[in-house]
């Protein structure tokens, strides 16, 4: 199997309803370090991630995986800000995703149970997924993505709706998925989370990729005035 | 008036054979129509909700408009199709229960399809990104949605059943209201009222309302229990 990464973005723009949401973003996302896409609400982070994952097509520009496109979509997964669960058990939700990826029979069941175990939800395997708490549902969403054994996992503000303790659990799982060898690409507007979970930062401001740096450098000596203002919690439009 | 009401209750409580026969045929016709219409309308509604194709909006408008299809017009069209000289006349279905089932199926198909389309489309908005992320689209996505909101779809199916069991125009025209063969609750009520046999008409009216009430209550209980169990 040929390498999936790096993912190349060439002059990617996206406009909707006459508004430019992404403005000529060019970059390359390589294997290894955890990439955090950082920016304020409405900066275009989620749209950028959806374009990378193939849920949206760029208005202009192109994205290219290192491998053929149809194969590329099979080898990545995404976890959304608000998990969407089907009206069936926690275990069956994971099995559904595996079956969609053509994993069936005993292997499907084994992988689904293993994934539940990874996120500590084994005792709730038979519970209907939709009546789990918000934190449990997000862990289940991570298990569902993990069971697919993706090479790249996109996470769109995975803890934005969660309380601090559920956030810690979700962050621990993301670390474990990274440690198991999956490339992590995550959006957040939370500076603490970017420091905890990021190796490199892509800073997006008003649809433009303003800065890209290792997390340490980014927070110590931001190169752009926009990033500097964002870190200091200033309002750039004030 | 009081006499008619008392007479109606006597008929119901005594389990009058004629009454039971009419009620049984009504249920058979309307429930069959609901089953056939649902088998066609639910996939149709889901397909229109999920698929994007030219002319889709026109189909949505058409389905919604056909919800108000007048029963007598459906009856007339089915009558023309099934009459001796019509294209389907050779089947000899006119003035039989199957003809009534056909007419009611046509009548309620747009109702079930239009309501199902709305429910599936609402669910699709919520599930779309997740399903596409998992590589599920097209027919499998539509089937997943139908199954996931199956308890909400009960409402659409019940609306169809309500329409079928309450309409009189279509079954009157294609069934002919033949005593002992194609006489159902609504056609009997119309006939007996004009004849002046108020107890029979009234007792059928009471049974009709109680049946519709019972079915809706049962559906509500099922839906409510499912809601609490599955979220």
């Amino acid at each position: 199997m040929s390498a999936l990464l790096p993912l190349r973005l060439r002059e990617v723009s996206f406009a909707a309803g006459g508004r430019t949401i992404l403005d000529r973003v060019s970059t390359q996302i390589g294997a290894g370090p955890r990439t955090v896409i950082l920016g304020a609400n409405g900066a275009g982070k989620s749209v950028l991630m959806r374009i990378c994952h193939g849920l949206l097509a760029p208005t202009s520009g192109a994205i290219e995986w290192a491998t053929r496109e149809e194969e590329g979509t099979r080898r990545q997964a995404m976890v959304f800000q608000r998990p969407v669960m089907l009206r069936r058990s926690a275990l069956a939700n994971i099995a559904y995703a595996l079956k969609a990826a053509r994993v069936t029979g005993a292997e499907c069941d084994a992988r689904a149970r293993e994934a539940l175990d990874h996120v500590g939800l084994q005792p709730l395997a038979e519970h209907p997924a939709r009546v789990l708490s918000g934190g449990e549902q997000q862990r289940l969403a991570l298990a569902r993505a993990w069971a697919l054994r993706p090479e790249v996992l996109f996470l769109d503000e995975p803890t934005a709706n969660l309380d601090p303790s559920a956030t810690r659990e979700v962050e621990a799982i993301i670390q474990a998925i990274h440690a198991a060898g999956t490339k992590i690409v995550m959006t957040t507007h939370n500076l603490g989370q970017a420091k905890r979970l990021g190796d490199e930062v892509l800073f997006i401001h008003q649809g433009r990729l303003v800065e890209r740096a290792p997390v340490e450098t980014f927070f110590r000596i931001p190169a752009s005035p926009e990033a500097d203002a964002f870190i200091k919690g200033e309002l750039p439009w004030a | 008036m009081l006499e008619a009401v008392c007479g109606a209750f006597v008929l119901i409580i005594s389990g009058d054979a004629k009454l039971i026969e009419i009620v049984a045929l009504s249920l058979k016709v309307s429930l069959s129509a609901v089953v056939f219409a649902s088998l066609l309308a639910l996939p149709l509604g889901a397909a229109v909700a999920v698929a994007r194709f030219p002319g889709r909006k026109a189909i949505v408008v058409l389905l919604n408009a056909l919800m108000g299809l007048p029963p007598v017009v459906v009856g007339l069209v089915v009558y023309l199709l099934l009459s001796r000289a019509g294209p389907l006349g050779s089947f000899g279905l006119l003035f039989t229960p199957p003809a009534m089932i056909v007419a009611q199926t046509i009548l309620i198909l747009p109702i079930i399809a239009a309501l199902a389309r709305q429910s599936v489309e609402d669910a699709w908005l919520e599930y779309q990104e997740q399903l596409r992320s998992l590589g599920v689209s097209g027919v499998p996505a539509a089937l997943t949605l139908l199954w996931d909101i199956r308890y909400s779809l009960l409402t659409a199916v019940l609306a169809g059943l309500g329409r079928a069991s309450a309409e009189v125009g279509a079954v009157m025209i294609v069934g002919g209201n033949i005593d002992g063969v194609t006489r159902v609750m609504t056609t009997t009520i119309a006939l007996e009222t004009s004849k002046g046999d108020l107890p029979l008409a009234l007792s059928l009216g009471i049974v009709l309302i109680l049946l519709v009430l019972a079915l809706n209550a049962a559906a509500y209980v099922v839906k409510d229990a499912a809601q609490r169990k599955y979220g």
Side-chain angles (χ1 to χ4, degrees):
Chain A
M1 209 158 44
S2 59
L4 182 61
L5 292 165
L7 169 65
R8 285 194 184 81
L9 286 85
R10 287 186 216 280
E11 301 271 306
V12 168
S13 294
F14 187 84
R19 227 183 106 234
T20 302
I21 294 166
L22 281 181
D23 187 10
R24 288 161 292 156
V25 173
S26 293
T27 191
Q28 181 169 330
I29 296 176
R34 296 160 299 178
T35 303
V36 168
I37 302 173
L38 188 66
N41 288 331
K45 309 182 294 288
S46 295
V47 169
L48 179 61
M49 179 157 278
R50 278 165 171 75
I51 287 175
C52 290
H53 188 46
L55 292 176
L56 290 174
T59 313
S60 66
I63 71 155
E64 289 161 14
W65 294 93
T67 183
R68 285 183 302 120
E69 198 184 332
E70 60 270 38
E71 195 187 333
T73 53
R74 283 248 162 252
R75 289 157 64 182
Q76 40 169 308
M78 181 156 171
V79 170
F80 297 87
Q81 182 172 339
R82 219 175 53 75
V84 177
M85 291 297 154
L86 299 174
R87 289 187 177 83
R88 48 186 91 188
S89 72
L91 188 69
N93 263 282
I94 301 181
Y96 177 87
L98 284 169
K99 280 174 192 141
R102 300 195 190 92
V103 180
T104 52
E107 197 197 342
C108 172
D109 190 60
R111 267 165 75 168
R113 286 184 187 281
E114 180 194 55
L116 274 183
D117 207 28
H118 281 323
V119 302
L121 287 178
Q122 189 66 270
L124 298 175
E126 306 304 330
H127 276 239
R130 286 204 167 217
V131 298
L132 298 177
S133 73
E136 287 163 348
Q137 285 198 36
Q138 195 56 296
R139 275 152 68 200
L140 179 56
L142 284 160
R144 178 169 60 187
W146 202 352
L148 297 169
R149 297 187 184 155
E151 285 169 61
V152 181
L153 176 59
F154 293 104
L155 301 126
D156 186 18
E157 303 254 6
T159 63
N161 294 337
L162 303 182
D163 65 27
S165 87
T167 298
R168 271 198 304 279
E169 289 167 348
V170 164
E171 287 186 0
I173 293 167
I174 295 170
Q175 291 288 27
I177 295 175
H178 167 66
T182 296
K183 164 76 183 185
I184 300 289
V185 182
M186 186 174 104
T187 66
T188 185
H189 61 264
N190 181 324
L191 299 176
Q193 187 166 60
K195 282 182 192 165
R196 286 193 297 277
L197 290 180
D199 293 314
E200 60 171 356
V201 173
L202 300 186
F203 179 69
I204 307 279
H205 181 70
Q206 294 180 355
R208 286 178 307 114
L209 175 60
V210 175
E211 192 169 343
R212 174 174 191 161
V215 70
E216 182 106 335
T217 318
F218 178 84
F219 283 106
R220 206 156 33 87
I221 33 169
S224 60
E226 292 92 342
D228 191 41
F230 182 73
I231 294 169
K232 289 184 179 144
E234 289 171 9
L235 305 174
W237 55 86
Chain B
M1 174 71 194
L2 189 66
E3 204 180 320
V5 174
C6 292
F9 278 105
V10 168
L11 279 177
I12 294 171
I13 292 162
S14 66
D16 181 72
K18 194 171 173 189
L19 183 82
I20 289 175
E21 184 193 307
I22 293 169
V23 171
L25 181 65
S26 293
L27 283 177
K28 188 184 131 190
V29 168
S30 294
L31 288 175
S32 304
V34 164
V35 170
F36 291 131
S38 297
L39 284 177
L40 295 168
L42 295 179
L44 175 67
V48 176
V50 171
R52 290 292 175 269
F53 52 89
R56 178 182 168 274
K57 279 184 181 156
I59 291 190
V60 170
V61 171
L62 187 69
L63 277 181
N64 288 343
L66 290 179
M67 285 174 81
L69 213 53
V72 283
V73 174
V74 173
L76 177 61
V77 170
V78 174
Y79 179 93
L80 291 173
L81 289 173
L82 297 181
S83 66
R84 285 257 172 262
L88 305 173
S90 54
F91 292 103
L93 287 178
L94 199 61
F95 304 135
T96 65
M100 297 154 79
I101 295 172
V102 169
Q104 289 200 339
T105 301
I106 294 171
L107 181 70
I108 64 178
L109 195 146
I111 297 176
I112 300 177
L115 295 176
R117 191 223 25 108
Q118 189 62 58
S119 300
V120 173
E121 201 163 302
D122 292 345
W124 182 233
L125 281 181
E126 186 193 345
Y127 292 31
Q128 183 179 24
E129 284 199 320
Q130 183 67 64
L131 291 183
R132 282 177 57 211
S133 171
L134 295 174
V136 181
S137 58
V139 172
L143 293 177
T144 296
L145 289 172
L146 277 179
W147 180 248
D148 217 60
I149 62 165
R150 57 196 180 277
Y151 297 106
S152 311
L153 293 175
L154 263 182
T155 308
V157 172
L158 273 183
L161 180 60
R163 174 74 155 174
S165 58
E167 72 89 19
V168 55
V171 280
M172 182 76 93
I173 294 177
V174 304
N177 198 22
I178 302 166
D179 196 6
V181 183
T182 58
R183 193 160 285 183
V184 292
M185 286 192 270
T186 53
T187 56
T188 313
I189 292 172
L191 178 71
E192 298 302 333
T193 304
S194 61
K195 269 169 49 185
D197 184 354
L198 294 183
L200 182 56
L202 202 55
S203 60
L204 284 166
I206 293 168
V207 171
L208 185 56
I209 289 169
L210 287 180
L211 275 175
V212 169
L213 205 60
L215 279 166
N216 277 278
Y220 183 84
V221 168
V222 168
K223 202 175 152 183
D224 193 50
Q227 186 92 47
R228 263 181 284 120
K229 179 152 185 240
Y230 297 108

